[in-house]
Amino acid sequence: MILKYAPIDRWKKKVNLSLLEVISQIVIIGFLLYINNEVGAVLVYAAIFTIGISIFRVFYYINMPQRDYVRIYEEYMMLHRGVMDPRRKIAYEDISKLSKVKGVFSIGIEGDDNEEIYPDQLSEADFNFLKKELEYKTELRVIEREEEEVV
């Protein structure tokens, strides 16, 4: 089973901000050309680099609703963790705790840190399915709290 990112407004805002970065870099270079009739090579290379990163971010965030956030298999699950991080493979037998605190779903893994899933990035139906599936496969109950307890 594959659970995709929800088509939320956050992705549109990030696309718009990235496009604004591209436009602002082009305007700055145009302004410097207008004022000085030339632009230093270092500034041009820096602008091209930032424009390239911003264009990459535009395409990355535009395609977020098509990306798999969670992949559920028979023996394990895989989580998408971002551009630079590889997917995280979590075997169900290694899961020691399931909890939801302040809108963050945390999966405790034996001998390792927790892995976090953000429910607001999934549709409500997908998140409820994920919770039920994890409870079934791990035979653990999800502990839900409004605030994390300090021990």
Side-chain angles (χ1 to χ4, degrees), residues 19-32:
L19 285 173
L20 185 63
E21 289 173 7
V22 169
I23 291 168
S24 66
Q25 287 294 325
I26 292 171
V27 166
I28 288 171
I29 295 239
F31 183 71
L32 288 173

Side-chain angles (χ1 to χ4, degrees), residues 108-119:
I109 303 168
E110 290 179 10
D112 204 354
D113 289 336
N114 293 342
E115 196 62 46
E116 295 176 345
I117 295 176
Y118 298 93

